[in-house]
Amino acid sequence: MTLDPRLAELADSHAVAIHVGGRFKGSGFVLTPELVVTCAHVVEEAADEVLVRISGSADRTGTVIARHPPRRGGGEYYDSPDIALVSLGERLDRQGVWLAEEPPQAGAVVVARGFSRFTAEPGVQRDSLSMTVRGPAGSLLGVKEDRIEVGLSGALVLDTTTGRVCGMVKASRKLEEVQGGWIVPAHVIAEHTAAAVDENPHRPGTAWFDLASRRSELHAQLFGADRHPARVAAPRPDRPPSWWLQTANEVVPFIARPELDDLLAWCLREDGMGMRLVTAPGGSGKTRLAMRLCQVLDEQGWIAGFLPGDSHETVPHIWEALDAGYRVLVVVDYAETRTDLNKALLTALEQEEPGRVRVLLLARSDGLWWNSLKNGDVVDGTPVRLSPLGERTGPGPVLSAAWQAFHAAIIGEPTPAPPALPEADGPDDVLSLHALALDAVLARRDGVRVGSWDPLGRVLRHEQKYWTDLAQEHEAPLPVKDASVRRVLLLPALFSAASAEQAQAALGRLETVPENALAGAADVLHRLYPHPGLYWAPLQPDRLAEQLLSQVIDDAGSAEASVGLLTSVLADCTFAQAEQAMTVLDRTRVALHRRGSHEPATWLTQSMGTLIRTRPLDFLPPAAGVLSPGTPGWNVFREVLESADYVDVLLPLHQRVARTGRNSEMVHAILGALLLRYDRSVSSRIWASKGGERAAQLLQAVWEIANFFAARGEPEHAWLHSRTAAAFAAKLARADPDTYGPVHAACLDVLGYRLVELDRYRPALRVARRAVKVRRALARRDPAHRPLLAQALTRLGSLLATTGKPDAALRASEEAAGIALGLAREDQQGWAGLVTAVYNNYGLLLSGAGRQAEAEEAAKVLANAVAVSDAQPWTPAQRAGLKPYRRTVARLLARESITDYSLMLTAAEYPEETDDDPR
């Protein structure tokens, strides 16, 4: 394995050269800022003092304070462990190496870093070795495949797999040949330096821990390589005006606010409240507050950051960071549009030890999306509502800090006192105050007067001027008139272009850019809003984009013109771009209504409705995320859904939502509501109109909707959709039993489970019998189905016992026990979980039948299966799930006469049923 160059550099900074009596004698390494470790034979000739030479630091005088053993002994080599400790008179500026707790395995590649005289350069120089571990050699480790030169004794040895120091070079087998030698293992060194090591722990946030644990890679996996909280873009005077207001660029210093202390205390507690929500209008400082929280926690050794919009493997990456020893803070911005991600994170929190993961959601407001989360056991259901910063301190401190920062970065001269600014009779949120200060600085730079109170409007004027200046330098005839420039800038306000071709096509539909100027206009936008992975980045901050859209709508002057413009420029946007655009459209619509501009707001509603009607597959999912029940846009949304063809529109819509993993909660709820309007013959009508070729896709769609309702705690709706899914599965299984027989059986399993949730035990019993019949047929054709047959029999036995048929229950459970035991003989560890579930019920039923001796034997099998399961690398929550089975073992071994069976329904994993109504 290749050694990380950063880790090699860190190791070199901890390697030392030992001189005795003015002569170089060997190597050593820094264990703590005040203690160096070397071989005892290296300092054998020293009385007390030695000279320690360290790269990047002044030479130190050291005192040999211990040798283990004190004397050489009578052999060719100094007796083991051959360790000496050297105390430094002056503390070093480095922590010390991180000793490994376990020795490297045979075959592992290790690297030594020390000093010798045997390099291509004269004198004592850095030297290194690359060796392979042979295995134990007494109390030492044998290594091979490199020659250990004189002077490398005492050098630290790195395990390239773990990144930790696994030992110290002792000696060569034969100096003249490449025969390797021996190293003193790290655990032996630790035994003689335990007190010093304990006082100098390596933990998250320390240099060696972070490099060995790959902290930077773990952070990049979760949050992206360019999104580290400590990494901020350097300001340049030629940035566009909007750049200076973007939160991520941190131009203005953070102003302390009490919510930071509250959130920090929440993160540092080790309680189970793992998820919180911060709400405030746009521009109030939510994002900057969360960024500052990430920075503080990053300094304390956390992995903290904002999840990017395209997060797919978030939860596995969280587990990986936790396994490496880190605590994690995940910030989800625009949380109201990322409901699936929120639910996935909530599930992860419920499975993890309390206090190790924190999830902070940011949104402009709470609502239906929050209602589905806030009652969770690990959720603090009371949002943190930010008040405007200017409201608490008055606008003065905020304006002054922003003026000083913008003036220093943009003009660069000694910063004078802020000028008299317009009366702040408008909003006192952070963004508006920063925009006011930025306008004043840009006006001073350009020698013009400061505008009246409309700070964001003034910044947009500067943004237009920035475009105009660039356009006039261009050979092509680019737009320079205000209304035309606003239309051009609208494109990055609505979506991020993926390519130059898409950018030019969108510009062409504006009808304000000549055809021969399209490439030039696209290039200017590309330079104005650069992005490493896109042709242009979105115009930020959000409220600046929303204000620009409202100006363009005013320029259009009518509903017809507004609808025509917006549907035209968004004609070829992708699904992800449609999400961006719909969010901007709806937020602007809401802002216009609040300002009393109801007519332009209505035009935007009509534009959104047209987009939804004409392109439902792209615009329905994001519409579900931004529209609220009772709004005009919601009525359009429902109208389109209710009139859309189920198979040709709603099914592909469902597949798109499922594939992207965004906004599916709202869409699934609406699809579910639509299905509920159909009568019981829905499956037959769909089948008759479209044929069986789409039934498998419909099955998956309806099944996911059933799961959605089950997760929401609505078992009646979950049962109805499970029944419809089972109808599809039954038809598919009749046409193709090999492929869809298992699916049908799984559907029956889950339908029975749904009925049990509704206390409908007799219908559930009928379903369970059908499930066993299907599973038995499958197992006859293929023995691989035996485990699922055992589960189905166990469920059947539970239901038979519950409905007053103990003898039949025992027969079913006995058959399941025979299957499970046979599987365990083939693979005890692999089938321990199945044996546990089956024998729990079997033992209880035997006891209830008065067959105590057999019940005791079943208890022994159950106890063994629980022990095998407990030995697995499970989470605490999984281990806690074994407690009921341990109680069963205790009751059975005590020979209690058990009639309150407490039978376990084994977990079901799919949906169920035919057209029969099991009620």
Side-chain angles (χ1 to χ4, degrees):
M1 184 175 178
T2 304
L3 182 63
D4 185 333
R6 298 167 300 172
L7 193 56
E9 182 179 352
L10 183 63
D12 286 341
S13 72
H14 284 71
V16 305
I18 306 290
H19 294 254
V20 177
R23 291 182 299 163
F24 170 65
K25 300 297 285 185
S27 303
F29 58 90
V30 179
L31 184 66
T32 75
E34 298 171 334
L35 187 67
V36 164
V37 176
T38 185
C39 287
H41 75 263
V42 170
V43 295
E44 185 177 6
E45 299 174 5
D48 284 316
E49 288 192 351
V50 297
L51 182 68
V52 179
R53 289 192 165 157
I54 310 164
S55 297
S57 182
D59 294 351
R60 300 285 201 282
T61 298
T63 303
V64 180
I65 58 173
R67 295 181 179 87
H68 303 287
R71 294 177 180 77
R72 168 180 284 272
E76 180 181 357
Y77 298 97
Y78 200 104
D79 284 356
S80 293
D82 194 7
I83 297 171
L85 307 181
V86 178
S87 176
L88 300 176
E90 186 179 349
R91 186 179 177 86
L92 286 169
D93 60 352
R94 52 213 74 182
Q95 183 184 10
V97 304
W98 191 17
L99 293 179
E101 296 167 358
E102 300 290 337
Q105 298 296 312
V109 175
V110 296
V111 174
R113 313 293 284 201
F115 294 85
S116 81
R117 295 182 181 276
F118 295 90
T119 69
E121 298 176 355
V124 178
Q125 303 291 341
R126 286 197 179 282
D127 205 351
S128 62
L129 302 168
S130 180
M131 304 169 288
T132 301
V133 175
R134 289 188 288 112
S139 63
L140 306 176
L141 283 176
V143 291
K144 59 182 181 179
E145 295 178 358
D146 208 340
R147 189 165 80 182
I148 301 176
E149 303 285 7
V150 173
L152 284 167
S153 292
L156 65 87
V157 181
L158 276 173
D159 185 335
T160 59
T161 302
T162 66
R164 297 172 69 170
V165 170
C166 62
M168 172 179 68
V169 174
K170 173 178 171 64
S172 172
R173 290 171 64 89
K174 195 169 185 180
L175 285 174
E176 298 81 11
E177 298 179 12
V178 181
Q179 290 196 13
W182 300 276
I183 65 176
V184 183
H187 71 272
V188 176
I189 299 171
E191 289 171 4
H192 295 86
T193 59
V197 171
D198 291 344
E199 292 175 2
N200 190 52
H202 290 260
R203 56 172 64 93
T206 58
W208 210 298
F209 188 103
D210 288 350
L211 278 175
S213 303
R214 301 171 39 254
R215 182 185 183 188
S216 60
E217 289 87 346
L218 293 171
H219 188 282
Q221 283 181 178
L222 259 174
F223 306 122
D226 59 340
R227 297 169 67 91
H228 196 280
R231 206 171 293 144
V232 180
R236 295 200 320 255
D238 62 343
R239 302 282 191 182
S242 58
W243 187 91
W244 302 100
L245 294 177
Q246 292 174 27
T247 303
N249 298 326
E250 296 189 71
V251 179
V252 181
F254 178 77
I255 296 178
R257 55 195 312 164
E259 292 90 350
L260 176 63
D261 296 331
D262 175 39
L263 291 172
L264 184 59
W266 163 64
C267 287
L268 297 179
R269 290 197 301 267
E270 296 191 359
D271 60 24
M273 293 293 101
M275 179 178 284
R276 293 188 79 178
L277 169 66
V278 174
T279 65
S284 298
K286 301 184 299 294
T287 304
R288 187 62 186 278
L289 172 66
M291 284 179 61
R292 182 59 187 154
L293 179 65
C294 288
Q295 290 165 349
V296 172
L297 293 175
D298 178 77
E299 293 166 0
Q300 297 187 22
W302 287 52
I303 292 180
F306 285 66
L307 282 181
D310 57 350
S311 304
H312 299 299
E313 298 294 329
T314 297
V315 172
H317 291 328
I318 290 175
W319 297 149
E320 191 173 352
L322 294 175
D323 289 343
Y326 292 97
R327 296 178 72 181
V328 177
L329 169 67
V330 172
V331 180
V332 181
D333 211 350
Y334 307 103
E336 68 272 28
T337 68
R338 306 173 77 181
T339 52
D340 285 338
L341 175 61
N342 299 338
K343 278 192 169 292
L345 292 170
L346 178 60
T347 301
L349 286 171
E350 291 169 342
Q351 296 174 353
E352 187 46 55
E353 294 180 23
R356 298 196 65 204
V357 182
R358 290 291 191 245
V359 176
L360 184 63
L361 309 179
L362 307 181
R364 292 193 179 183
S365 64
D366 51 5
L368 289 175
W369 70 274
W370 176 241
N371 291 340
S372 67
L373 296 172
K374 68 179 183 181
N375 295 322
D377 292 338
V378 296
V379 180
D380 185 335
T382 305
V384 178
R385 303 189 190 278
L386 295 190
S387 58
L389 192 58
E391 178 183 286
R392 183 179 294 115
T393 66
V398 181
L399 279 170
S400 179
W403 164 268
Q404 301 284 339
F406 291 141
H407 195 286
I410 294 171
I411 298 178
E413 300 170 355
T415 308
L421 297 174
E423 287 296 321
D425 56 353
D428 55 359
D429 59 90
V430 175
L431 179 59
S432 296
L433 294 173
H434 283 190
L436 185 62
L438 178 61
D439 174 44
V441 169
L442 294 174
R444 177 183 286 265
R445 182 197 64 183
D446 298 337
V448 298
R449 293 180 59 189
V450 177
S452 60
W453 178 265
D454 178 16
L456 290 177
R458 293 289 302 168
V459 171
L460 281 174
R461 293 286 299 171
H462 290 293
E463 196 86 359
Q464 290 174 228
K465 181 179 182 301
Y466 194 91
W467 160 275
T468 302
D469 291 344
L470 289 176
Q472 289 174 343
E473 298 172 4
H474 214 280
E475 295 181 2
L478 301 182
V480 293
K481 292 183 178 180
D482 286 350
S484 297
V485 173
R486 282 194 287 271
R487 285 198 172 199
V488 171
L489 296 180
L490 177 65
L491 297 182
L494 289 175
F495 66 92
S496 305
S499 65
E501 293 75 19
Q502 186 187 37
Q504 291 177 38
L507 284 162
R509 288 191 290 271
L510 290 175
E511 299 180 356
T512 58
V513 182
E515 186 173 354
N516 63 341
L518 293 176
D523 179 64
V524 173
L525 287 175
H526 176 65
R527 290 157 53 197
L528 196 60
Y529 308 113
H531 189 283
L534 300 166
Y535 190 71
W536 67 52
L539 174 62
Q540 295 284 323
D542 294 337
R543 277 180 49 205
L544 200 65
E546 293 157 23
Q547 179 128 347
L548 175 61
L549 174 57
S550 67
Q551 291 180 0
V552 172
I553 293 298
D554 285 339
D555 292 339
S558 71
E560 183 180 2
S562 300
V563 172
L565 171 65
L566 292 172
T567 54
S568 176
V569 298
L570 295 172
D572 68 347
C573 66
T574 65
F575 179 77
Q577 292 165 340
E579 284 191 302
Q580 290 179 281
M582 190 61 77
T583 300
V584 176
L585 292 172
D586 187 63
R587 286 182 169 177
T588 308
R589 177 187 64 80
V590 171
L592 287 170
H593 269 304
R594 287 175 178 165
R595 293 206 304 262
S597 302
H598 300 301
E599 189 174 35
T602 301
W603 300 346
L604 281 178
T605 300
Q606 293 173 358
S607 300
M608 295 168 71
T610 301
L611 289 166
I612 292 171
R613 290 186 187 95
T614 56
R615 297 180 59 195
L617 296 187
D618 289 321
F619 283 97
L620 266 173
V626 300
L627 297 177
S628 301
T631 64
W634 183 264
N635 295 334
V636 174
F637 179 46
R638 293 298 297 267
E639 168 204 324
V640 173
L641 274 175
E642 292 172 10
S643 62
D645 180 87
Y646 188 89
V647 175
D648 291 338
V649 175
L650 295 184
L651 175 60
L653 171 64
H654 169 271
Q655 292 171 324
R656 169 158 286 184
V657 170
R659 187 166 60 249
T660 59
R662 297 179 185 174
N663 299 333
S664 63
E665 178 179 283
M666 188 72 77
V667 173
H668 280 189
I670 293 166
L671 291 179
L674 285 173
L675 277 180
L676 289 175
R677 293 192 184 93
Y678 288 106
D679 57 30
R680 273 182 54 240
S681 63
V682 58
S683 62
S684 299
R685 291 198 290 111
I686 291 173
W687 196 280
S689 62
K690 294 296 177 182
E693 74 278 2
R694 306 295 291 276
Q697 296 171 315
L698 286 168
L699 167 62
Q700 181 66 26
V702 178
W703 175 232
E704 291 185 13
I705 295 166
N707 283 342
F708 163 73
F709 279 118
R712 279 174 48 128
E714 299 181 39
E716 182 75 29
H717 289 174
W719 167 75
L720 284 168
H721 296 308
S722 295
R723 188 181 64 150
T724 301
F728 295 152
K731 293 176 185 292
L732 286 165
R734 284 195 287 272
D736 185 353
D738 290 337
T739 302
Y740 292 106
V743 177
H744 182 215
C747 288
L748 291 169
D749 290 340
V750 173
L751 181 60
Y753 189 78
R754 302 275 190 239
L755 287 164
V756 168
E757 287 184 312
L758 295 168
D759 294 330
R760 298 174 185 167
Y761 292 102
R762 294 194 181 281
L765 178 58
R766 292 198 296 271
V767 171
R769 283 176 168 145
R770 290 204 301 273
V772 166
K773 181 179 179 180
V774 175
R775 293 284 186 200
R776 202 186 302 282
L778 290 168
R780 279 197 294 267
R781 292 200 300 268
D782 183 354
H785 289 281
R786 287 179 299 161
L788 293 174
L789 173 59
Q791 288 186 8
L793 286 163
T794 300
R795 277 191 290 276
L796 176 59
S798 298
L799 288 165
L800 286 165
T802 304
T803 53
K805 300 177 176 63
D807 293 340
L810 184 54
R811 286 194 295 273
S813 189
E814 189 169 23
E815 183 181 354
I819 295 170
L821 199 58
L823 290 166
R825 290 192 183 103
E826 299 171 10
D827 181 359
Q828 183 183 42
Q829 182 172 310
W831 296 112
L834 177 65
V835 173
T836 300
V838 169
Y839 265 80
N840 179 84
N841 289 18
Y842 183 42
L844 291 172
L845 288 166
L846 284 169
S847 177
R851 294 160 61 175
Q852 300 300 339
E854 293 171 84
E856 188 173 344
E857 291 303 312
K860 293 175 183 177
V861 175
L862 175 59
N864 180 67
V866 169
V868 172
S869 297
D870 198 30
Q872 304 303 311
W874 282 4
T875 65
Q878 289 173 311
R879 293 188 191 286
L882 294 173
K883 289 181 181 178
Y885 301 111
R886 290 194 174 95
R887 286 196 295 270
T888 297
V889 170
R891 295 179 72 186
L892 294 176
L893 292 179
R895 293 204 169 201
E896 293 183 22
S897 180
I898 299 172
T899 55
D900 57 326
Y901 297 121
S902 301
L903 300 181
M904 300 290 179
L905 281 170
T906 57
E909 300 178 359
Y910 284 91
E912 133 47 273
E913 239 250 47
T914 68
D915 288 320
D916 299 335
D917 188 337
R919 289 181 292 184

